[in-house]
Amino acid sequence: MDELFPRFSWRIESSLQNVKQSAYEINVDGMWQSGIVKSGENIHIQYGGKPLLPFTRYDYSIRIWDCDGNESEWSRAFFETGIQVPENFSADWITTSEGNTQVCPVFRKSFKCELPVKSARIYATALGVYEIELNGKRVGDYWLTPGFTSYNENLQYQTYDVTDMLRRENTIEVTLAKGWCRGRLGWRGGVNVFDALPGILLMLRIEMPDGKIQLVPSDTSWKYNESAFLKSEIYDGETYDARKKIEESMNFDFDDSTWQNAILLDYPKKHINSQINEPVKIMHEIKPVSIVKTPKGETVIDFGQNMVGWVAFKVCGKPGDRVCLSHAEILDKDGNFYTDNLRTAENKVEYILSGKGEEFYHPHFTFQGFRYVRIDEYPGEIKLDNFFGKVIYSSLKSTGSFECSNDDVNKLYQNILWGQRGNYVDIPTDCPQRDERLGWTGDAQVFIKTAAMNMNVALFFTKWLKDLAIDQKKLGGAVAGIVPGITKTRISAGWGDAATICPFEIYHAYADKRLLARQYDSMKQWVEYIKAQGDNPYHWEGGYHYGDWLGLDSPPGSNKGSTDDNYIADAYYAHSTSLVSRAAALLGHQRESAEYSHLNKGIVNRFKKTYLDKDGVPNQKTQTACALALFFNLTDNKKAVADALAEMIIKTGNHLTTGFIGTPYLLHALSDNGYEELAYTLFLRTEYPSWLFSVKQGATTIWEHWDGIRSDGTLWSETMNSFNHYAYGAVADWMYTKIAGINYSTDEPGYKKIFIKPILTKHLSYVFASVDSMYGRIESGWKSEGDSVVFNVMIPPNTSATLVYPDGTIEEFGSGKYIFTWNAGNTLG
Ligand code: BGC
């Protein structure tokens, strides 16, 4: 950790009801004594002691008092600092003499050390993706390190505890692949878009019992050689020749005189900092379900789940025998293996056997998005038992659950979770399989609220938003379609607004004001950029927009729904401006808050005059136009707009036409404005277009298109048809907040104050959901029992809640478990 002012958060455990904290005390041994602080806050308490030193472990204790004066025990824990400032990274960048033509070099160094050691840490990063072995063992359980950032301005290093791995005679090896940094990236044929050379930077820091420090830094005394990885690319997969693996190179006295000398890489260290977000790890292992012989005669393994990660396998054979695997998301309508939708991404894995007994392998520096795997070559009989799926993603804590009486809805929820898993591999991506897998800002923005209920994404977004702000500086305040920016993408409404929407969502879900403060300038710059487009400050003038991307009301041949670009742009401009004004007020910038509020009023007034008729209803007769006006509060006549929206939907036989922009808000727009039943009708619909259509078609993730696979088995398109695109999965936000009714308060964020406000329906007999907040677990369930509805609610210590019954009456309560019964009469029909 390089944070100079770490924050402390703790959870209070108690089986009592109405527990509230009245005071706390924090002691960081030898550094800080907070004293007894009379405060009800138990999250984000900022360190206030002496300056923290680098490379140091700090033990600390916390105790609290409740409102009845009961005192807790001291709880003990520790944190450890990292390099803190780049100058403390006492090592040299090293590279090879072949430059980026070098495929996957392995760097090597032998060294001695005295035993026992008190502690030993490796700090490492790279241009590419790296893996470290120490004395023949892999170091750590992180994968695809150092992850994906705006490398030339922000490069994260990782820290590994190797205290127990050291011997008197040691060998360390680092294998380096191209990864996102130097490999192929983007659908426009980009290669090495960051213009980097292969490079590693590593420092092993050993602390002896007497406090003496031994450093083993990367420098020109290291040697390098080709590794057994013949090829590795994020999109294309990996080729590994096990015959080329030199096992003996891990021996201390291995003769590496034929290896080449590493050379110094002239690359800065000033932008290196410790990893903020949770590392990518193997999070689940799944077993395949069947072997399929396709009509074309292909042998295909079905993993039963569209997943992201690797196929791991066991194999025996002769030296030079091969295992060749191709990956796909679906079989086509005839049941044959289908890869056209992967576009130029090869997604192939080849393993060449050493022939030494049973061999085991999975890729290391790439990942695939797949459900089906075609076995193109495999020595011997293909048995399911020899294949496993390793699911990888950022190791985020799971925080949500949802279950109800409708199995299709439960499957949809699971599909949404799988969508998040597959697309949260270090950055929020659009899809994990074709030649994109990029940080599309619009997709990230529409899904973030759902994401923050499913998993704890606070650090994940803290890291990604840092890159957003960095890239923005290079674009004069604009936010491009993709972060980290890899290619010239368009600056579009609904995409760039990730700059304002994402920090606010993290603030609401986790009460993280510091992130809001750190992103405030970026939020402002985004709005200022929009304002500067043209002469009228109340209008976002010109530019190309992605519009209501993939809306079903698109004109033929277009991906853009028919809602006017200007309408969408000005709606988002108004929304982002209101968020900046609110952020300013929360951060104490009252003058700026007033300025942005004034700007917002101007935009909204113009919006109403330009785009609404005399009744306050959008001139544009699209579902998305109405949903935006309602959700962003852009009309004075919500009733008329909701009526117009409902009429449009009903007239077309409950056929939604919204795309990326309208869909996340559609059900909210209806159910917040008197059309609860219609919202449920759309949500529970199983015919195309609907959320449950793909479930009925056998989907195990969320599709990019409502009709990715049509009822007759034909496909939406060959070139842009992802079966793992989470955007429409944003509906889980409606499921948690409206069906189960779990809501944070925007005034007391982080679920300090909770509103339980479910929308009951006769279509479901029970619902149960939970969200694990910073304070602890929140549960909300309801069940129809004859004329009554029974609510089961739990809220964590140090929070309070209001339960709102369907007739508007309320129940107020503090922490604990509760059962409330409400007489529904015949209101549920
Ligand atoms: C991506 C989308 C993205 C879009 C921009 C597509 O290729 O997959 O999800 O938001 O481009 O419109």
Side-chain angles (χ1 to χ4, degrees):
M1 179 197 73
D2 290 344
E3 182 60 62
L4 299 178
F5 299 99
R7 291 176 299 179
F8 298 88
S9 301
W10 54 91
R11 281 189 180 191
I12 301 166
E13 282 174 11
S14 171
S15 52
L16 301 175
Q17 287 188 335
N18 298 314
V19 174
K20 288 236 168 184
Q21 177 187 294
S22 63
Y24 67 81
E25 185 174 5
I26 304 174
N27 278 347
V28 180
D29 297 358
M31 301 297 287
W32 184 42
Q33 293 191 322
S34 71
I36 298 173
V37 181
K38 287 205 174 354
S39 161
E41 290 300 331
N42 66 320
I43 62 173
H44 304 310
I45 309 297
Q46 188 162 303
Y47 174 75
K50 294 185 216 160
L52 297 171
L53 300 171
F55 310 117
T56 308
R57 172 184 162 130
Y58 292 102
D59 292 277
Y60 65 92
S61 323
I62 297 177
R63 64 174 167 169
I64 61 156
W65 286 262
D66 71 11
C67 285
D68 298 324
N70 298 313
E71 182 184 324
S72 76
E73 306 267 296
W74 284 101
S75 279
R76 273 187 84 71
F78 76 94
F79 63 88
E80 186 176 305
T81 53
I83 63 166
Q84 284 198 340
V85 285
E87 300 79 67
N88 287 334
F89 212 125
S90 309
D92 294 328
W93 275 105
I94 52 173
T95 185
T96 66
S97 50
E98 291 84 355
N100 209 32
T101 58
Q102 175 67 263
V103 182
C104 289
V106 54
F107 294 87
R108 175 182 192 281
K109 170 82 186 172
S110 287
F111 62 96
K112 289 190 179 176
C113 85
E114 294 294 319
L115 292 183
V117 304
K118 187 173 161 212
S119 74
R121 301 283 183 267
I122 289 177
Y123 305 92
T125 189
L127 296 169
V129 282
Y130 73 87
E131 184 175 46
I132 308 171
E133 281 187 74
L134 180 58
N135 298 326
K137 285 208 183 90
R138 187 175 198 277
V139 172
D141 59 352
Y142 308 167
W143 292 91
L144 300 171
T145 47
F148 191 0
T149 53
S150 298
Y151 296 107
N152 290 328
E153 291 84 18
N154 175 28
L155 182 56
Q156 300 197 137
Y157 72 84
Q158 290 68 45
T159 304
Y160 305 91
D161 180 354
V162 292
T163 313
D164 297 331
M165 295 177 80
L166 289 176
R167 303 176 192 153
R168 280 181 207 290
E169 296 184 332
N170 302 277
T171 302
I172 189 165
E173 285 191 353
V174 182
T175 308
L176 180 64
K178 294 187 173 180
W180 297 280
C181 180
R182 292 183 295 113
R184 223 151 72 66
L185 205 58
W187 67 104
R188 291 191 177 129
V191 176
N192 193 5
V193 294
F194 294 93
D195 197 19
L197 288 167
I200 63 162
L201 180 72
L202 178 146
M203 176 171 75
L204 165 61
R205 186 175 185 278
I206 306 168
E207 189 176 342
M208 300 299 171
D210 62 2
K212 283 211 182 89
I213 302 296
Q214 179 184 350
L215 289 185
V216 182
S218 52
D219 59 22
T220 49
S221 69
W222 288 51
K223 293 290 197 82
Y224 78 93
N225 197 5
E226 283 171 359
S227 70
F229 292 89
L230 304 186
K231 165 181 151 184
S232 191
E233 286 273 357
I234 297 285
Y235 295 157
D236 296 333
E238 201 161 278
T239 304
Y240 184 88
D241 187 345
R243 295 169 306 180
K244 289 194 70 182
K245 169 79 180 160
I246 307 170
E247 304 287 351
E248 305 73 41
S249 67
M250 265 300 156
N251 297 337
F252 175 79
D253 44 16
F254 172 72
D255 175 11
D256 62 8
S257 54
T258 59
W259 290 37
Q260 301 194 58
N261 292 319
I263 55 176
L264 214 55
L265 175 65
D266 181 17
Y267 188 75
K269 285 193 257 177
K270 62 177 189 317
H271 60 303
I272 288 164
N273 56 92
S274 74
Q275 171 132 354
I276 293 175
N277 55 319
E278 295 84 348
V280 172
K281 291 188 181 179
I282 299 170
M283 299 295 285
H284 310 269
E285 301 213 2
I286 60 176
K287 288 197 173 143
V289 291
S290 61
I291 300 181
V292 184
K293 265 274 172 225
T294 70
K296 278 191 183 162
E298 305 149 311
T299 304
V300 171
I301 294 186
D302 178 3
F303 279 80
Q305 174 62 53
N306 195 358
M307 56 162 275
V308 174
W310 311 305
V311 176
F313 54 84
K314 288 194 256 177
V315 63
C316 290
K318 300 186 299 300
D321 280 351
R322 303 156 82 88
V323 178
C324 300
L325 308 176
S326 299
H327 301 70
E329 289 187 291
I330 58 162
L331 302 180
D332 69 11
K333 90 178 188 332
D334 303 320
N336 290 313
F337 195 71
Y338 180 84
T339 55
D340 288 355
N341 68 326
L342 307 178
R343 301 199 300 223
T344 68
E346 286 175 17
N347 284 304
K348 284 186 190 289
V349 169
E350 286 187 34
Y351 177 84
I352 304 163
L353 278 72
S354 67
K356 296 180 193 154
E358 187 176 74
E359 299 176 45
F360 180 83
Y361 181 76
H362 63 70
H364 289 224
F365 304 114
T366 176
F367 60 90
Q368 286 72 48
F370 66 97
R371 168 173 170 174
Y372 299 95
V373 173
R374 188 178 63 203
I375 314 293
D376 298 324
E377 270 186 63
Y378 184 87
E381 195 193 337
I382 297 166
K383 291 193 209 144
L384 274 193
D385 282 355
N386 289 332
F387 294 86
F388 318 86
K390 303 249 182 202
V391 179
I392 64 161
Y393 55 95
S394 290
S395 44
L396 306 170
K397 185 170 170 259
S398 157
T399 52
S401 74
F402 183 96
E403 199 195 313
C404 69
S405 53
N406 181 319
D407 286 342
D408 291 333
V409 171
N410 294 338
K411 181 66 183 156
L412 172 71
Y413 176 75
Q414 291 304 321
N415 292 357
I416 293 168
L417 284 183
W418 276 103
Q420 184 166 354
R421 290 171 186 148
N423 283 294
Y424 273 28
V425 179
D426 207 54
I427 58 161
T429 58
D430 55 334
C431 58
Q433 72 298 77
R434 66 184 180 212
D435 49 4
E436 287 195 64
R437 313 184 195 186
L438 297 166
W440 280 100
T441 44
D443 307 46
Q445 170 278 106
V446 300
F447 191 71
I448 187 171
K449 186 164 181 189
T450 289
M453 284 181 275
N454 288 338
M455 301 179 195
N456 187 326
V457 297
L459 297 175
F460 183 82
F461 274 97
T462 301
K463 173 247 186 193
W464 184 72
L465 285 168
K466 184 174 172 184
D467 285 327
L468 182 145
I470 286 170
D471 288 354
Q472 199 183 355
K473 287 216 169 81
K474 295 180 267 184
L475 295 172
V479 176
I482 295 171
V483 170
I486 59 132
T487 171
K488 265 204 154 74
T489 43
R490 290 174 162 134
I491 292 145
S492 166
W495 272 254
D497 298 277
T500 51
I501 293 171
C502 293
F504 239 104
E505 192 52 43
I506 299 299
Y507 170 69
H508 282 153
Y510 308 102
D512 190 352
K513 216 189 232 185
R514 180 154 88 186
L515 180 69
L516 209 53
R518 288 185 178 172
Q519 295 298 129
Y520 178 63
D521 192 49
S522 148
M523 296 172 76
K524 255 182 10 186
Q525 293 313 316
W526 170 239
V527 163
E528 290 299 327
Y529 164 81
I530 301 171
K531 193 166 82 178
Q533 307 305 300
D535 299 330
N536 185 343
Y538 304 132
H539 167 51
W540 182 341
E541 173 124 20
Y544 176 93
H545 295 279
Y546 295 117
D548 189 23
W549 187 245
L550 307 185
L552 289 178
D553 51 2
S554 311
S558 165
N559 285 324
K560 246 197 215 188
S562 57
T563 309
D564 174 44
D565 281 354
N566 289 307
Y567 182 98
I568 296 174
D570 283 332
Y572 269 96
Y573 182 26
H575 184 56
S576 276
T577 312
S578 76
L579 292 179
V580 175
S581 168
R582 238 194 102 207
L586 285 164
L587 297 168
H589 310 311
Q590 301 309 341
R591 191 181 49 79
E592 290 195 340
S593 176
E595 280 166 20
Y596 285 107
S597 165
H598 179 76
L599 179 60
N600 171 261
K601 284 201 182 84
I603 301 164
V604 173
N605 284 338
R606 183 185 175 278
F607 185 94
K608 287 177 182 166
K609 275 192 214 133
T610 316
Y611 303 115
L612 306 185
D613 67 17
K614 60 173 183 5
D615 298 324
V617 178
N619 295 322
Q620 302 250 330
K621 300 296 172 227
T622 68
Q623 295 178 17
T624 291
C626 291
L628 286 179
L630 290 168
F631 196 79
F632 289 164
N633 295 315
L634 296 170
T635 173
D636 298 323
N637 193 351
K638 286 200 167 179
K639 169 139 188 1
V641 180
D643 290 348
L645 173 60
E647 196 187 321
M648 261 186 271
I649 295 169
I650 295 164
K651 254 195 190 157
T652 51
N654 301 326
H655 194 294
L656 59 82
T657 55
T658 48
F660 268 43
I661 292 295
T663 304
Y665 307 139
L666 182 63
L667 298 188
H668 290 289
L670 289 169
S671 63
D672 290 351
N673 294 289
Y675 284 96
E676 295 87 346
E677 186 59 27
L678 184 57
Y680 268 115
T681 302
L682 286 186
F683 178 65
L684 295 171
R685 177 187 161 100
T686 51
E687 308 82 30
Y688 164 81
S690 69
W691 284 273
L692 297 185
F693 174 72
S694 64
V695 170
K696 288 290 189 197
Q697 290 287 86
T700 59
T701 37
I702 302 298
W703 296 348
E704 182 175 22
H705 299 275
W706 294 112
D707 55 346
I709 304 175
R710 302 199 181 99
S711 304
D712 63 3
T714 57
L715 303 176
W716 187 86
S717 92
E718 285 182 356
T719 50
M720 208 183 67
N721 204 3
S722 153
F723 294 97
N724 198 353
H725 235 72
Y726 56 52
Y728 294 154
V731 74
D733 143 28
W734 190 79
M735 295 161 69
Y736 282 110
T737 61
K738 300 289 160 64
I739 306 183
I742 301 176
N743 293 277
Y744 49 60
S745 146
T746 52
D747 295 331
E748 291 181 70
Y751 299 92
K752 175 88 173 147
K753 169 84 194 178
I754 301 150
F755 289 106
I756 306 282
K757 199 181 172 191
I759 302 176
L760 308 183
T761 174
K762 61 175 185 268
H763 304 294
L764 301 174
S765 60
Y766 84 90
V767 172
F768 177 83
S770 65
V771 172
D772 212 356
S773 72
M774 296 273 297
Y775 295 96
R777 189 174 160 93
I778 302 157
E779 292 179 357
S780 170
W782 55 265
K783 200 174 179 167
S784 302
E785 287 183 1
D787 274 355
S788 300
V789 178
V790 177
F791 295 88
N792 277 289
V793 182
M794 184 174 86
I795 64 156
N798 218 20
T799 66
S800 64
T802 302
L803 168 68
V804 185
Y805 291 115
D807 63 2
T809 53
I810 58 167
E811 202 88 60
E812 306 260 14
F813 49 98
S815 69
K817 265 190 173 203
Y818 301 85
I819 297 176
F820 299 106
T821 306
W822 184 70
N823 194 330
N826 60 2
T827 51
L828 297 184

